[in-house]
Amino acid sequence: MKILVCISHVPDTTSKINFADNDTKFDTNGVQFVINPNDEFGLTRAMWFKEKQGANVTVVNVGGPETEPTLRKALAIGADAAIRVNTDAKDGFQVAKELANIVNEGGYDLVIAGRESIDYNGGMVPGMIAALTNANFVTNCISLEVDGINATAMREIDGGKETVSTSLPLVIGGQKGLVEESDLRIPNMRGIMMARQKPLSVVEPTNASTETSTVKFEKPAPKGAVTLVDADNVDELINLLHNEAKAI
Amino acid sequence: MSVLVYTESEQGKFKKTAFEAASYAKAVANQMGTTVTAVAINANDTSELGTYGVDKVLNITNGDLKAFNANAYASSIEQAAKQENATVVIVSSSADSKYLAPILAIGLNAGFASNVVEAPSNTSPFTVKRTAFTNKAFNMTTIDTAVKVVGVSKNAFGLVESNGSATTEEFSPSIPASGVKVESVDRATDKVTIADAEIVVSAGRGLKGPENWGMIEELADVLGAATACSKPVSDLGWRPHSEHVGQTGKPVASNLYIAIGISGAIQHLAGINASKVKVVINTDPEAPFFKAADYGIVGDAFEVVPTLIEKLKAFKAQNA
């Protein structure tokens, strides 16, 4: 089975978010970048397929040279090869189109992407890849089994979960649950050394068009101070929630 | 030229998100000087949509669409959009709508903006405000294509009633074969879900153990709320992963979020920022959550919560 894991290079979850150039660009100063958490669950599940069922795992990212450490980390975790599409990620459609091109050329059976990236939260790339490559698609995927060309997946729905059967080629939008958090892997020294020998190919983009553009960013308005209520005066909290906040 | 909205229903009944999406569609249609057409799939009574600004309903009744299927639903909405010559297509932010929207966008050659929180600031260029960086910022985005797909965030735009009425036409799209088949659905029917809840009661490690969740559930019961938890709690297995709220868990956009014994890690706060009113109960006055909350009690959850339950019961009885 040939698996492609799409990796977003995103600010670490604890990063302070700031903007530059008149609030038109994300300010990367002092920001640590990591593998998108939703992609990390998918990468770990891909490692499971590789080890238990035999699979070749390639990771891919659309981005400039600055994203290579993130791809190297994925290689250190155990991916066999990495591809970087050499262009800045501009919008979901452009990224999906570049990735669909990689999928079509590489003939992957299974494409694992995160349900969304934690930076732009668009949640559109996996579905668009599936639509562009005519593959089956399951998102919010919290479990995945593959038996030959048949797959069984579970996905989270509002208020529960749903089990679906489908077949390869398949694209999934994965998330926590695909593997347990405790199963996520930290690259060890051997993995880091081996990653240096693994192929990281840089391919030129097809210059896919964009469909959306960022005009500017805004931060939420500063919040007023908390209104503290004495622990012995719970009635006051109820009063505030009812009369002031109109929340109950 | 028209605005099309997908109004989702469950077991024949429209969801609140359908009315929110319709309200948003009406606002867009007003800005563009056009009408709103809704697509309803296997809904029992479509007349209610008129109350939220829908002028015409394309009503699809089809047994093959009984279970949600992203491809089939996206294809049906795409066919409706083409028939109506729709330039803007609105969907909600439910799990199902987020599933079908990218497929629909590709089908329509449409740019797609998700998590949109306000009516467009401009319709030419079509500019919307959407959340980014897991609610730590907003992104003003233009959709540059002729046809646009907009996903509206839950609880962001709200319900706006208007005094119109909707006409209904039967619509029979061709349903494509699907490669994804629903085998079973496991839905918690007796509880309010985090996605639908107006109020969420959430607890963290301050509760000391899963055996202490009885009072959290009781508080949720009194308020008609859903229960949720912080990441460490789900990692410890005290509560199911589906209750984990935060950056890698479920985002919450409720009207009221009550956090009990949760210190307020940045990842947790990112997941609840979209909630309107936040209350924190914590013994530690330095807990970061107090900076993010609107109301707070510095106190022991084991003393405050039982009192709160009693007082709320009395309040509810008085205000019933």
Side-chain angles (χ1 to χ4, degrees):
Chain A
M1 180 162 61
K2 278 186 80 174
I3 303 176
L4 184 71
V5 182
C6 306
I7 300 281
S8 266
H9 167 82
V10 297
D12 176 74
T13 54
T14 58
S15 299
K16 294 258 185 280
I17 303 300
N18 290 305
F19 303 103
D21 291 359
N22 255 344
D23 291 335
T24 56
K25 284 203 172 70
F26 174 59
D27 184 357
T28 57
N29 264 330
V31 172
Q32 173 84 24
F33 282 82
V34 296
I35 299 174
N36 180 43
N38 289 313
D39 304 346
E40 207 177 347
F41 292 112
L43 176 63
T44 308
R45 188 65 187 161
M47 290 301 107
W48 187 92
F49 285 121
K50 180 181 164 177
E51 287 156 16
K52 306 280 184 196
Q53 296 182 194
N56 183 278
V57 179
T58 300
V59 290
V60 64
N61 164 263
V62 177
E66 70 282 0
T67 70
E68 288 193 3
T70 299
L71 284 173
R72 286 278 175 214
K73 186 181 173 194
L75 291 172
I77 285 170
D80 300 294
I83 301 169
R84 179 171 67 82
V85 182
N86 187 29
T87 184
D88 289 337
K90 295 181 196 78
D91 79 341
F93 176 73
Q94 172 236 6
V95 170
K97 209 144 182 220
E98 295 292 355
L99 291 173
N101 193 41
I102 299 289
V103 174
N104 283 333
E105 283 190 358
Y108 294 95
D109 307 296
L110 175 64
V111 177
I112 303 179
R115 70 160 191 220
E116 68 175 30
S117 63
I118 62 163
D119 49 6
Y120 291 89
N121 308 107
M124 65 184 80
V125 170
M128 286 183 168
I129 297 172
L132 290 166
T133 61
N134 288 318
N136 292 320
F137 173 50
V138 180
T139 196
N140 290 17
C141 199
I142 51 172
S143 89
L144 176 68
E145 304 289 342
V146 178
D147 177 13
I149 63 154
N150 297 312
T152 306
M154 197 182 280
R155 75 173 184 105
E156 204 166 78
I157 56 175
D158 289 342
K161 49 199 173 189
E162 183 179 271
T163 304
V164 299
S165 60
T166 184
S167 60
L168 306 180
L170 171 68
V171 179
I172 67 156
Q175 63 178 63
K176 184 179 178 183
L178 204 51
V179 296
E180 292 303 318
E181 188 122 359
S182 53
D183 291 336
L184 292 177
R185 297 170 186 203
I186 297 163
N188 56 27
M189 191 48 74
R190 187 165 172 269
I192 293 166
M193 298 302 283
M194 284 175 68
R196 291 184 188 166
Q197 313 301 322
K198 291 178 180 175
L200 192 162
S201 50
V202 177
V203 301
E204 289 309 312
T206 60
N207 292 319
S209 58
T210 58
E211 295 183 330
T212 59
S213 357
T214 289
V215 182
K216 65 170 183 150
F217 293 98
E218 280 175 14
K219 293 230 253 183
K223 219 194 64 60
V226 61
T227 302
L228 285 179
V229 175
D230 196 278
D232 297 327
N233 194 3
V234 171
D235 282 322
E236 177 61 7
L237 178 66
I238 294 171
N239 174 41
L240 287 167
L241 289 178
H242 182 61
N243 292 315
E244 188 178 87
K246 317 257 182 244
I248 57 172
Chain B
M1 185 182 83
S2 73
V3 175
L4 191 86
V5 56
Y6 166 50
T7 50
E8 59 191 333
S9 53
E10 203 171 272
Q11 291 172 329
K13 224 171 153 284
F14 287 113
K15 294 171 78 169
K16 186 186 163 203
T17 48
F19 299 138
E20 284 186 346
S23 301
Y24 187 93
K26 177 66 174 171
V28 177
N30 283 347
Q31 282 177 272
M32 296 173 65
T34 185
T35 56
V36 177
T37 300
V39 178
I41 298 176
N42 292 329
N44 294 337
D45 174 12
T46 55
S47 62
E48 224 178 334
L49 292 175
T51 317
Y52 297 97
V54 171
D55 300 289
K56 181 167 89 173
V57 182
L58 295 179
N59 189 35
I60 301 171
T61 310
N62 189 318
D64 292 340
L65 299 177
K66 207 170 160 211
F68 173 79
N69 179 284
N71 268 325
Y73 274 51
S75 171
S76 302
I77 300 164
E78 179 188 327
Q79 290 170 59
K82 285 177 176 162
Q83 176 186 294
E84 295 297 300
N85 199 17
T87 49
V88 182
V89 180
I90 311 292
V91 299
S92 80
S93 58
S94 71
D96 286 350
S97 286
K98 282 186 157 178
Y99 191 177
L100 68 82
I103 303 169
L104 174 65
I106 293 292
L108 288 169
N109 291 319
F112 171 41
S114 59
N115 305 323
V116 169
V117 292
E118 286 178 4
S121 58
N122 194 348
T123 54
S124 181
F126 196 91
T127 310
V128 285
K129 182 176 183 176
R130 56 183 304 277
T131 56
F133 297 97
T134 321
N135 295 312
K136 288 188 238 173
F138 298 105
N139 181 358
M140 302 296 291
T141 301
T142 60
I143 308 179
D144 307 320
T145 45
V147 181
K148 294 119 176 110
V149 175
V150 177
V152 184
S153 274
K154 181 177 177 282
N155 254 336
F157 188 75
L159 299 175
V160 183
E161 291 196 20
S162 66
N163 50 12
S165 63
T167 58
T168 298
E169 280 176 21
E170 292 307 313
F171 183 63
S172 304
S174 62
I175 310 296
S178 174
V180 179
K181 183 169 169 253
V182 175
E183 299 291 347
S184 64
V185 177
D186 177 10
R187 205 184 289 269
T189 48
D190 57 335
K191 285 174 85 181
V192 185
T193 68
I194 294 175
D196 296 328
E198 296 289 322
I199 302 176
V200 174
V201 176
S202 190
R205 256 188 310 196
L207 267 284
K208 295 191 168 78
E211 67 279 7
N212 296 324
W213 244 261
M215 65 178 184
I216 300 301
E217 282 171 341
E218 194 181 351
L219 177 59
D221 270 353
V222 176
L223 289 166
T227 56
C229 69
S230 65
K231 180 172 175 292
V233 162
S234 74
D235 288 348
L236 286 162
W238 294 358
R239 300 296 290 178
H241 284 314
S242 57
E243 287 197 3
H244 162 203
V245 160
Q247 197 154 28
T248 53
K250 280 212 166 71
V252 173
S254 57
N255 283 329
L256 173 61
Y257 185 81
I258 303 178
I260 300 162
I262 299 177
S263 61
I266 194 165
Q267 297 93 333
H268 186 83
L269 296 178
I272 61 106
N273 266 345
S275 286
K276 292 212 167 78
V277 180
K278 296 153 207 139
V279 176
V280 59
I281 298 168
N282 203 304
T283 47
D284 176 11
E286 300 301 320
F289 218 131
F290 282 106
K291 288 202 175 71
D294 300 286
Y295 303 101
I297 291 182
V298 179
D300 184 349
F302 295 97
E303 288 165 17
V304 174
V305 174
T307 313
L308 186 57
I309 291 168
E310 287 311 307
K311 302 275 187 189
L312 275 170
K313 277 182 181 166
F315 169 81
K316 290 274 170 186
Q318 227 171 32
N319 290 274

